[in-house]
Amino acid sequence: MRDKAKDKDKHGAAAGAVPERADWTIDQGWDNYSPQDHAVWKTLFDRQSSLLPGRACDEFVAGMRQLPIGADAIPDFRRLSDVLMRQTGWQVVAVPGLVPDEVFFDHLANRRFPAGHFIRKANELDYLEEPDVFHDVFGHVPMLMNPVIADFVQAYGVGGLRAQQLGVLPNLARVYWYTVEFGLVKQKDGLRIYGSGIASSYTESVFALENPSPNRIGFDLERVMRTHYRIDDFQEVYFVLDSLDDLLQLAKIDFAPIYDRVGAASELQPGDVLASDRLVHRGSGQYHRDGGAAFPG
Ligand code: HBI
Ligand code: FE
């Protein structure tokens, strides 16, 4: 799972945080990372690198292979941006943590991916309050090397600014959550991870693909827009694309009539199943019925 909601203001940024710059970017300060920081990165990197083969989608593996991302040190965003810019026109900019929605959307709309500059502590490897450099760089950057995801995330930024004005941001945020963060995709050799929240999580990389508890449902835009999600535990449902190219259609259609239809429909709980759902796997729901994660607090 991703970040547990801290006391955040309505946009998600740490309540009361004051940015250095209007766009909330900061210098990554690569030289300031301690040996402990790099050691935590190595632990996380080595765990995922042994876990993801056969679980991460081909596009994730291909993107990672072309990037200066390795075990021994937290990557330098300037070197990531050099490669990313040539491949899909994106760059990685450092931020202190969650930034206000409109700041986040403006960066994405301009192909700037805001990545947390900090890394979690050794005693909290599987518990994230906010996206740190491992979630953002290991999880998101390899997928931004893929042209379809690169276009889709930029379209999300453009769409986010508009959704805010239309007052339908929660509906659009669910689309990002159930794709870019927690999406699964079908491959010839089985279900694979493309969502960054899963790819950067040791425990959820297994749960999302192999645990019998969650539902796995064929992606449908309106269905996803209506469906609440969990921020404090594994997801109760994962939506499955037949191909990443299915996201290209989403970046092209006009969401306004869809927002209207979704607004008139009932909202759905994460564990709900509809007769109209294309069920890939009907979950038992056992994990969440048993109370979910054993995380404190
Ligand atoms: N800020 N740095 C950062 N990373 C995020 O993923 C992020 C954010 N601010 C807002 C946000 N996500 C979500 O609230 C929007 O996607 C809706
Ligand atoms: Fe993320």
Side-chain angles (χ1 to χ4, degrees), residues 54-55 184-187 189-193 209 216 240 280:
R55 289 191 174 91
L184 298 178
V185 64
K186 274 182 195 152
Q187 287 186 176
D189 47 356
L191 279 189
R192 292 290 182 269
I193 297 161
L209 287 178
R216 297 176 182 91
V240 182
V280 174

Side-chain angles (χ1 to χ4, degrees), residues 250-272:
L250 301 189
K252 291 196 174 89
I253 58 180
D254 173 16
F255 277 12
I258 300 176
Y259 288 136
D260 293 342
R261 278 204 299 279
V262 165
S266 60
E267 302 227 312
L268 299 168
Q269 292 314 310
D272 287 349

Side-chain angles (χ1 to χ4, degrees), residues 153 162 183 192:
V153 176
R162 184 155 172 264
R192 292 290 182 269

Side-chain angles (χ1 to χ4, degrees), residues 2-3 104 113 131 135-136 139-140 176-177 180-181 196-197 200:
R2 218 189 69 176
D3 43 314
F104 185 60
F113 190 77
H135 168 90
D136 282 324
H140 283 283
Y176 185 82
W177 190 270
V180 175
E181 290 295 359
S196 307
S200 58

